[in-house]
Amino acid sequence: MLDDLEWKETGETHRIEEQMSSSQFTETFLTERDKQSKWSGIPQLLLKLYATSHLHSDFVECQNILKEISPLLSMEAMAFVTEERKLTQETTYPNTYIFDLFGGVDLLVEILMRPTISIRGQKLKISDEMSKDCLSILYNTCVCTEGVTKRLAEKNDFVIFLFTLMTSKKTFLQTATLIEDILGVKKEMIRLDEVPNLSSLVSNFDQQQLANFCRILAVTISEMDTGNDDKHTLLAKNAQQKKSLSLGPSAAEINQAALLSIPGFVERLCKLATRKVSESTGTASFLQELEEWYTWLDNALVLDALMRVANEESEHNQASIVFPPPGASEENSPPHSSTRTQLPQSMKIMHEIMYKLEVLYVLCVLLMGRQRNQVHRMIAEFKLIPGLNNLFDKLIWRKHSASALVLHGHNQNCDCSPDITLKIQFLRLLQSFSDHHENKYLLLNNQELNELSAISLKANIPEVEAVLNTDRSLVCDGKRGLLTRLLQVMKKEPAESSFRFWQARAVESFLRGTTSYADQMFLLKRGLLEHILYCIVDSECKSRDVLQSYFDLLGELMKFNVDAFKRFNKYINTDAKFQVFLKQINSSLVDSNMLVRCVTLSLDRFENQVDMKVAEVLSECRLLAYISQVPTQMSFLFRLINIIHVQTLTQENVSCLNTSLVILMLARRKERLPLYLRLLQRMEHSKKYPGFLLNNFHNLLRFWQQHYLHKDKDSTCLENSSCISFSYWKETVSILLNPDRQSPSALVSYIEEPYMDIDRDFTEE
């Protein structure tokens, strides 16, 4: 169809635009070529559009031409969305391609931006209806023609201008959808403080618009390359952080601050997140959205699924409404369809789920940002946690029906399913909310807080200060708090469920920080330890991610807790079970090393206590007996050092380095550090690699000093989780790195001269 048209190069495209704008192409010429090339009359329409869109035009004829162009492109866009995964890459969309080739995209950008031009002190105006048509055509072209979105993204003034079009409800949806796609490919993040009257714009959004606006915010407040991903090396992260310090706050940080400065912004997000389905927007406004779904193509898959649910319910109760695509005739409507305007409950629920997804994501990002404490305070004040608790059973963790909604081209268990994505986003929010923050106790209700106090009283230990300081008016209400509800669904989760990882992470975050006996006992009394052991041992979990999260949670649950070790020994009551457990631990130390660290720390504390209960556990517990053996500790130590290198250290595996340090710090306390280093040297020689391990460990410790001595948060975490002062960590590392070869506790004393390689430069520019 396009074989005889060889004008794909950018230079040729500009030449065509110039010829069109200066009317060098005559309508007769274009009509003749159209007969040969089947251009659907688009060049002729664009020629008319150039002629009728001058500054002094009244735009009436211009709008009529847009009405002719629009369906030619929207049909291709709908075909792209609904058939995209079935078609081959060779499939072309000639109408949108021709529209762009003849300068249509740049012309529409120019038309849309006419209101920024003043003539004799008066700004030009175009109607909302015309803006709407321009936006729809632009989006359809972006969908079908490669490179258009990127070109628009390079027009920064146009991107900023688009935000001003969201002031009108008539153009909001089309504008938001186009902006979201443009920002998704923009190389440099846009700065929200450059958007004119941002505070007024956002404050005037209704709740439905604000929820949709969160889709855009998700792109503008998330670091484009955060370096927080577990797969990023710490060397790369440190280099990026040094660069960032010299450049000042990132665009994402500036955007977060801009949003938090808008009065009532976080409060409105909390209301949206906790709004019940019955309180959501009425049928009429949602119907209007659905009527315009062809312009919201990024969500068309969702709406397609919504319509299928509506059809299914219609077949059952004849009370649903079916929404045919715009322009579809009655004859093309699905069978059993009804024209009633009652909105099915499943559609209301999914509508609300799609909103809450975006809102929870934005709140989660803000919780992890620089203003974390400010956001924490506001989220608590606006009762986000008790609100989510009230929605837990009916919306967040509702039971799936046989026809549970899934996105087009996906299945019910796919992580892209709105139901599943909402659950994961909810769990991520809980994890961020609880992690090292005293507000975590808002996840409980009053009765559960009293239970924590009773546990402390019975154990004759001081009550946790954060529990005493918790504002009881902000906690969960009802029979169960959010944490207890989470434990209940966690224990019922199928073995193959993708939720297990996120559930374990959310519960572990509640325990992280300074170890609390009362917190541990609260969870132990609810059977959490037995559930974890069942998953590790009896179900023989194969997922590495789930195993790691369960080992981490088990470590926090058992650390320094005699009762937990008694429960462990009661469950792992045979050698066969214990061997399965050890097999899981040894299968990947990257995954299990936090548990090894917690058991090692607990053993050290128990050995220094004079208590009959502790003595009984020490004599009976298989796990403690296993860890207490020097050969076991040396085996762990050797492997922990051997599986990591400075160039491959990440946030995920750096724990292996810290666990190896814990083993050596405890050895130093017992004046056995030289013994452990000598044994490492012997193990090196037995493996025929003299110097390899200790040189590597020396480099790792040098990096440790660079990484931790300038990071308050990380050092505090190490101190709180180990109950070993950070000064002792630093002293131990300094002793190990002592250059004096006569020192019995220095690594260099155990590396023979021919194999010495300790001064390697491991920095990354």
Side-chain angles (χ1 to χ4, degrees):
M1 190 177 292
L2 300 175
D3 291 345
D4 62 338
L5 189 61
E6 302 294 340
W7 292 334
K8 291 187 179 181
E9 292 80 4
T10 304
E12 288 292 344
T13 302
H14 285 315
R15 187 166 64 83
I16 293 171
E17 291 173 16
E18 292 169 4
Q19 289 172 330
M20 290 288 287
S21 60
S22 59
S23 300
Q24 290 183 28
F25 283 142
T26 65
E27 188 171 353
T28 303
F29 168 77
L30 292 173
T31 302
E32 286 300 317
R33 289 301 299 254
D34 197 352
K35 291 177 182 178
Q36 303 171 30
S37 304
K38 298 180 181 178
W39 291 341
S40 302
I42 291 174
Q44 299 96 303
L45 289 170
L46 281 174
L47 190 63
K48 292 179 182 178
L49 194 59
Y50 275 106
T52 58
S53 61
H54 54 80
L55 288 177
H56 300 288
S57 169
D58 62 3
F59 293 121
V60 174
E61 182 59 27
C62 186
Q63 189 167 338
N64 291 333
I65 297 169
L66 289 173
K67 294 290 185 187
E68 288 187 62
I69 295 174
S70 184
L72 296 173
L73 275 58
S74 63
M75 286 189 296
E76 287 188 352
M78 281 194 284
F80 183 91
V81 171
T82 56
E83 303 295 329
E84 178 184 11
R85 290 162 183 80
K86 300 178 184 177
L87 299 176
T88 62
Q89 290 187 348
E90 287 75 25
T91 302
T92 57
Y93 295 92
N95 289 350
T96 50
Y97 171 71
I98 289 297
F99 178 80
D100 180 42
L101 184 65
F102 280 87
V105 170
D106 290 330
L107 177 58
L108 291 198
V109 168
E110 184 184 326
I111 291 173
L112 275 172
M113 294 190 70
R114 289 285 163 82
T116 63
I117 300 173
S118 295
I119 297 181
R120 297 179 185 147
Q122 291 188 339
K123 286 193 174 183
L124 297 174
K125 293 182 180 181
I126 62 174
S127 68
D128 286 344
E129 192 64 31
M130 185 167 168
S131 295
K132 191 173 170 181
D133 288 337
C134 288
L135 291 165
S136 298
I137 293 171
L138 280 178
Y139 186 74
N140 290 337
T141 310
C142 288
V143 167
C144 298
T145 305
E146 187 177 356
V148 173
T149 312
K150 288 183 179 179
R151 291 207 329 262
L152 291 178
E154 293 169 0
K155 303 175 184 288
N156 200 60
D157 56 342
F158 175 65
V159 179
I160 293 292
F161 168 76
L162 282 177
F163 280 84
T164 66
L165 296 182
M166 286 195 288
T167 55
S168 169
K169 287 190 176 184
K170 290 183 179 179
T171 58
F172 175 87
L173 198 59
Q174 289 79 5
T175 308
T177 309
L178 183 60
I179 291 175
E180 184 188 353
D181 258 44
I182 290 174
L183 296 185
V185 301
K186 194 170 174 61
K187 290 182 179 179
E188 294 181 357
M189 186 176 290
I190 195 170
R191 285 183 48 164
L192 291 177
D193 58 350
E194 295 178 356
V195 175
N197 305 313
L198 175 69
S199 180
S200 174
L201 175 73
V202 176
S203 297
N204 287 325
F205 286 156
D206 60 30
Q207 289 295 77
Q208 183 172 303
Q209 289 176 312
L210 181 60
N212 278 305
F213 188 60
C214 284
R215 295 174 62 85
I216 294 171
L217 297 184
V219 184
T220 62
I221 63 175
S222 304
E223 296 290 354
M224 299 183 86
D225 185 9
T226 63
N228 291 326
D229 190 325
D230 286 347
K231 301 301 183 286
H232 285 72
T233 66
L234 294 184
L235 275 176
K237 280 184 63 177
N238 289 352
Q240 181 63 38
Q241 285 170 349
K242 286 180 183 178
K243 184 179 178 181
S244 299
L245 286 174
S246 63
L247 297 175
S250 67
E253 290 170 335
I254 291 171
N255 290 342
Q256 290 175 28
L259 291 173
L260 291 173
S261 68
I262 298 174
F265 176 71
V266 173
E267 181 178 9
R268 292 184 68 193
L269 290 187
C270 289
K271 286 181 178 178
L272 266 174
T274 58
R275 182 176 68 178
K276 296 177 181 177
V277 178
S278 58
E279 299 168 1
S280 60
T281 309
T283 302
S285 59
F286 188 39
L287 285 175
Q288 183 182 356
E289 270 192 25
L290 288 173
E291 287 170 359
E292 298 168 345
W293 72 276
Y294 64 95
T295 64
W296 195 11
L297 290 177
D298 188 56
N299 280 330
L301 301 181
V302 177
L303 296 177
D304 177 39
L306 288 175
M307 284 183 256
R308 279 193 286 112
V309 172
N311 293 346
E312 289 168 6
E313 291 202 358
S314 177
E315 293 176 7
H316 285 95
N317 56 32
Q318 294 293 311
S320 302
I321 179 169
V322 176
F323 307 98
S329 64
E330 289 277 324
E331 291 79 18
N332 294 329
S333 297
H336 309 295
S337 64
S338 165
T339 55
R340 301 182 189 183
T341 56
Q342 180 179 346
L343 200 62
Q345 184 68 9
S346 59
M347 192 176 283
K348 288 182 181 178
I349 291 172
M350 198 49 57
H351 189 220
E352 200 64 24
I353 282 176
M354 295 306 299
Y355 281 173
K356 292 188 189 310
L357 269 175
E358 312 302 337
V359 174
L360 290 182
Y361 179 82
V362 170
L363 287 171
C364 193
V365 173
L366 293 176
L367 263 179
M368 296 186 291
R370 283 196 176 186
Q371 290 86 11
R372 185 191 183 209
N373 288 332
Q374 177 190 355
V375 177
H376 238 294
R377 178 182 54 77
M378 290 192 286
I379 281 178
E381 179 185 347
F382 302 132
K383 297 189 175 183
L384 174 69
I385 298 302
L388 292 176
N389 186 48
N390 293 333
L391 289 177
F392 188 86
D393 291 330
K394 292 185 177 179
L395 185 70
I396 298 172
W397 226 272
R398 67 195 182 97
K399 292 182 179 180
H400 290 281
S401 64
S403 59
L405 183 144
V406 294
L407 291 179
H408 184 78
H410 299 267
N411 60 59
Q412 186 173 331
N413 296 318
C414 174
D415 283 355
C416 297
S417 161
D419 265 325
I420 290 177
T421 310
L422 177 67
K423 290 177 173 64
I424 291 174
Q425 198 55 60
F426 164 75
L427 293 171
R428 290 183 65 186
L429 178 76
L430 289 194
Q431 180 184 354
S432 301
F433 184 81
S434 302
D435 194 20
H436 293 89
H437 203 285
E438 60 184 21
N439 274 352
K440 67 182 184 180
Y441 292 108
L442 298 180
L443 296 176
L444 310 182
N445 63 19
N446 275 302
Q447 185 179 348
E448 291 163 345
L449 285 172
N450 293 338
E451 185 181 338
L452 284 181
S453 301
I455 291 170
S456 298
L457 182 63
K458 184 178 179 180
N460 197 27
I461 58 175
E463 193 169 350
V464 178
E465 187 175 352
V467 174
L468 294 172
N469 294 336
T470 297
D471 186 342
R472 296 289 184 114
S473 68
L474 302 178
V475 302
C476 295
D477 49 19
K479 294 181 179 179
R480 292 181 296 275
L482 203 47
L483 181 62
T484 302
R485 290 181 187 274
L486 177 57
L487 290 175
Q488 288 179 326
V489 297
M490 183 179 181
K491 289 193 286 186
K492 296 176 183 177
E493 208 61 47
E496 70 282 359
S497 171
S498 61
F499 296 132
R500 282 188 168 197
F501 170 81
W502 296 105
Q503 290 167 338
R505 281 282 178 257
V507 177
E508 184 215 345
S509 68
F510 181 81
L511 290 171
R512 289 179 69 184
T514 304
T515 304
S516 165
Y517 174 80
D519 292 354
Q520 290 173 324
M521 291 306 300
F522 180 84
L523 297 174
L524 286 170
K525 289 170 65 176
R526 284 157 175 79
L528 180 59
L529 183 137
E530 289 79 9
H531 166 72
I532 296 171
L533 292 177
Y534 170 80
C535 294
I536 294 174
V537 177
D538 295 315
S539 71
E540 294 194 48
C541 177
K542 299 294 189 296
S543 167
R544 301 312 320 173
D545 287 339
V546 172
L547 268 178
Q548 182 177 10
S549 64
Y550 272 37
F551 278 130
D552 290 352
L553 175 54
L554 186 61
E556 292 294 338
L557 190 60
M558 294 179 67
K559 187 167 50 181
F560 307 137
N561 193 307
V562 174
D563 298 280
F565 279 91
K566 286 185 70 174
R567 284 174 174 260
F568 176 91
N569 217 42
K570 184 177 180 181
Y571 190 93
I572 307 295
N573 54 6
T574 66
D575 287 337
K577 276 189 172 184
F578 188 58
Q579 289 307 314
V580 172
F581 184 74
L582 291 184
K583 180 183 176 183
Q584 292 280 48
I585 285 181
N586 288 303
S587 63
S588 176
L589 275 181
V590 171
D591 301 326
S592 62
N593 82 88
M594 290 298 292
L595 174 64
V596 172
R597 186 194 307 183
C598 290
V599 176
T600 303
L601 287 164
S602 301
L603 174 66
D604 180 74
R605 176 175 290 192
F606 294 161
E607 287 178 336
N608 291 295
Q609 289 179 338
V610 181
D611 183 278
M612 289 296 294
K613 189 177 179 181
V614 172
E616 181 184 346
V617 168
L618 281 172
S619 64
E620 294 178 355
C621 184
R622 289 179 173 84
L623 185 57
L624 290 172
Y626 175 75
I627 294 291
S628 68
Q629 300 170 23
V630 173
T632 300
Q633 294 181 23
M634 294 310 303
S635 174
F636 280 135
L637 187 58
F638 187 91
R639 285 183 291 154
L640 285 167
I641 298 170
N642 197 38
I643 59 180
I644 51 175
H645 306 277
V646 171
Q647 287 75 14
T648 59
L649 276 180
T650 65
Q651 199 65 48
E652 179 185 20
N653 63 25
V654 71
S655 58
C656 295
L657 175 56
N658 290 323
T659 298
S660 65
L661 268 175
V662 165
I663 294 173
L664 292 177
M665 283 191 293
L666 298 181
R668 179 188 164 209
R669 277 183 179 176
K670 299 172 183 175
E671 299 183 350
R672 302 174 76 178
L673 184 55
L675 169 64
Y676 279 51
L677 296 179
R678 191 160 57 249
L679 289 172
L680 282 177
Q681 184 188 41
R682 289 178 186 173
M683 294 172 79
E684 268 188 338
H685 281 271
S686 70
K687 301 289 185 182
K688 309 299 182 185
Y689 289 111
F692 174 78
L693 187 85
L694 294 177
N695 277 313
N696 182 45
F697 193 38
H698 194 281
N699 284 331
L700 287 166
L701 293 180
R702 285 169 54 214
F703 174 81
W704 188 95
Q705 286 184 320
Q706 289 187 13
H707 183 69
Y708 282 105
L709 298 188
H710 305 288
K711 297 169 71 67
D712 293 339
K713 182 181 178 184
D714 279 342
S715 63
T716 302
C717 289
L718 288 178
E719 190 171 70
N720 289 341
S721 65
S722 65
C723 290
I724 298 174
S725 69
F726 190 62
S727 61
Y728 197 80
W729 285 79
K730 291 190 293 184
E731 288 169 11
T732 303
V733 173
S734 296
I735 289 170
L736 289 166
L737 291 179
N738 188 345
D740 183 4
R741 293 179 61 83
Q742 303 304 313
S743 169
S745 297
L747 284 174
V748 293
S749 302
Y750 300 89
I751 308 174
E752 297 171 31
E753 194 71 43
Y755 307 112
M756 188 79 71
D757 185 20
I758 61 173
D759 297 320
R760 182 178 300 175
D761 182 15
F762 50 74
T763 57
E764 275 187 9
E765 296 298 332

mmCIF file of all heavy atoms in Angstrom, residues 328-341:
data_model
loop_
_atom_site.group_PDB
_atom_site.id
_atom_site.type_symbol
_atom_site.label_atom_id
_atom_site.label_comp_id
_atom_site.label_asym_id
_atom_site.label_seq_id
_atom_site.Cartn_x
_atom_site.Cartn_y
_atom_site.Cartn_z
ATOM 1 N N ALA A 328 -20.874 1.388 17.462
ATOM 2 C CA ALA A 328 -21.348 0.022 17.204
ATOM 3 C C ALA A 328 -22.865 0.026 17.129
ATOM 4 O O ALA A 328 -23.547 0.739 17.849
ATOM 5 C CB ALA A 328 -20.874 -0.919 18.295
ATOM 6 N N SER A 329 -23.391 -0.786 16.281
ATOM 7 C CA SER A 329 -24.843 -0.829 16.115
ATOM 8 C C SER A 329 -25.464 -1.814 17.072
ATOM 9 O O SER A 329 -24.787 -2.637 17.676
ATOM 10 C CB SER A 329 -25.169 -1.239 14.677
ATOM 11 O OG SER A 329 -24.711 -2.557 14.438
ATOM 12 N N GLU A 330 -26.764 -1.729 17.213
ATOM 13 C CA GLU A 330 -27.493 -2.660 18.083
ATOM 14 C C GLU A 330 -27.281 -4.104 17.620
ATOM 15 O O GLU A 330 -27.177 -5.017 18.404
ATOM 16 C CB GLU A 330 -28.985 -2.332 18.033
ATOM 17 C CG GLU A 330 -29.364 -1.027 18.742
ATOM 18 C CD GLU A 330 -29.526 -1.234 20.229
ATOM 19 O OE1 GLU A 330 -30.020 -2.307 20.620
ATOM 20 O OE2 GLU A 330 -29.151 -0.329 20.988
ATOM 21 N N GLU A 331 -27.203 -4.269 16.261
ATOM 22 C CA GLU A 331 -27.061 -5.626 15.728
ATOM 23 C C GLU A 331 -25.740 -6.255 16.148
ATOM 24 O O GLU A 331 -25.620 -7.467 16.263
ATOM 25 C CB GLU A 331 -27.138 -5.596 14.177
ATOM 26 C CG GLU A 331 -28.510 -5.249 13.631
ATOM 27 C CD GLU A 331 -28.786 -3.737 13.699
ATOM 28 O OE1 GLU A 331 -27.819 -2.968 13.835
ATOM 29 O OE2 GLU A 331 -29.955 -3.350 13.641
ATOM 30 N N ASN A 332 -24.710 -5.408 16.364
ATOM 31 C CA ASN A 332 -23.391 -5.926 16.708
ATOM 32 C C ASN A 332 -23.219 -6.130 18.193
ATOM 33 O O ASN A 332 -22.175 -6.574 18.651
ATOM 34 C CB ASN A 332 -22.290 -4.979 16.208
ATOM 35 C CG ASN A 332 -22.268 -4.922 14.695
ATOM 36 O OD1 ASN A 332 -22.596 -5.906 14.038
ATOM 37 N ND2 ASN A 332 -21.885 -3.769 14.152
ATOM 38 N N SER A 333 -24.218 -5.782 18.971
ATOM 39 C CA SER A 333 -24.105 -5.929 20.420
ATOM 40 C C SER A 333 -24.108 -7.396 20.799
ATOM 41 O O SER A 333 -24.700 -8.218 20.113
ATOM 42 C CB SER A 333 -25.270 -5.221 21.122
ATOM 43 O OG SER A 333 -25.210 -3.849 20.864
ATOM 44 N N PRO A 334 -23.449 -7.727 21.953
ATOM 45 C CA PRO A 334 -23.408 -9.120 22.388
ATOM 46 C C PRO A 334 -24.809 -9.629 22.687
ATOM 47 O O PRO A 334 -25.721 -8.851 22.990
ATOM 48 C CB PRO A 334 -22.572 -9.064 23.670
ATOM 49 C CG PRO A 334 -21.802 -7.789 23.574
ATOM 50 C CD PRO A 334 -22.682 -6.854 22.824
ATOM 51 N N PRO A 335 -25.008 -10.941 22.592
ATOM 52 C CA PRO A 335 -26.325 -11.496 22.895
ATOM 53 C C PRO A 335 -26.709 -11.251 24.340
ATOM 54 O O PRO A 335 -25.847 -11.092 25.196
ATOM 55 C CB PRO A 335 -26.138 -12.999 22.611
ATOM 56 C CG PRO A 335 -24.657 -13.231 22.708
ATOM 57 C CD PRO A 335 -24.025 -11.974 22.239
ATOM 58 N N HIS A 336 -27.975 -11.238 24.622
ATOM 59 C CA HIS A 336 -28.536 -11.062 25.973
ATOM 60 C C HIS A 336 -28.246 -9.677 26.534
ATOM 61 O O HIS A 336 -28.358 -9.465 27.724
ATOM 62 C CB HIS A 336 -27.997 -12.107 26.950
ATOM 63 C CG HIS A 336 -28.124 -13.509 26.447
ATOM 64 N ND1 HIS A 336 -29.318 -14.125 26.230
ATOM 65 C CD2 HIS A 336 -27.158 -14.415 26.103
ATOM 66 C CE1 HIS A 336 -29.117 -15.360 25.776
ATOM 67 N NE2 HIS A 336 -27.821 -15.557 25.688
ATOM 68 N N SER A 337 -27.805 -8.719 25.712
ATOM 69 C CA SER A 337 -27.469 -7.412 26.262
ATOM 70 C C SER A 337 -28.740 -6.648 26.613
ATOM 71 O O SER A 337 -29.787 -6.832 26.030
ATOM 72 C CB SER A 337 -26.634 -6.609 25.260
ATOM 73 O OG SER A 337 -27.376 -6.348 24.103
ATOM 74 N N SER A 338 -28.574 -5.785 27.582
ATOM 75 C CA SER A 338 -29.704 -4.990 28.043
ATOM 76 C C SER A 338 -29.364 -3.527 27.887
ATOM 77 O O SER A 338 -28.217 -3.134 27.899
ATOM 78 C CB SER A 338 -29.976 -5.307 29.524
ATOM 79 O OG SER A 338 -30.825 -4.335 30.083
ATOM 80 N N THR A 339 -30.348 -2.678 27.755
ATOM 81 C CA THR A 339 -30.088 -1.248 27.619
ATOM 82 C C THR A 339 -30.386 -0.518 28.918
ATOM 83 O O THR A 339 -30.475 0.690 28.947
ATOM 84 C CB THR A 339 -30.940 -0.649 26.493
ATOM 85 O OG1 THR A 339 -32.314 -0.948 26.752
ATOM 86 C CG2 THR A 339 -30.548 -1.230 25.139
ATOM 87 N N ARG A 340 -30.557 -1.254 29.970
ATOM 88 C CA ARG A 340 -30.825 -0.609 31.252
ATOM 89 C C ARG A 340 -29.583 0.143 31.722
ATOM 90 O O ARG A 340 -28.470 -0.143 31.318
ATOM 91 C CB ARG A 340 -31.218 -1.654 32.299
ATOM 92 C CG ARG A 340 -32.464 -2.452 31.896
ATOM 93 C CD ARG A 340 -32.843 -3.441 32.986
ATOM 94 N NE ARG A 340 -33.883 -4.346 32.523
ATOM 95 C CZ ARG A 340 -34.423 -5.265 33.286
ATOM 96 N NH1 ARG A 340 -34.032 -5.413 34.538
ATOM 97 N NH2 ARG A 340 -35.356 -6.050 32.799
ATOM 98 N N THR A 341 -29.757 1.068 32.625
ATOM 99 C CA THR A 341 -28.641 1.894 33.075
ATOM 100 C C THR A 341 -28.184 1.553 34.477
ATOM 101 O O THR A 341 -27.500 2.328 35.115
ATOM 102 C CB THR A 341 -29.032 3.392 33.041
ATOM 103 O OG1 THR A 341 -30.213 3.565 33.826
ATOM 104 C CG2 THR A 341 -29.265 3.849 31.625
#
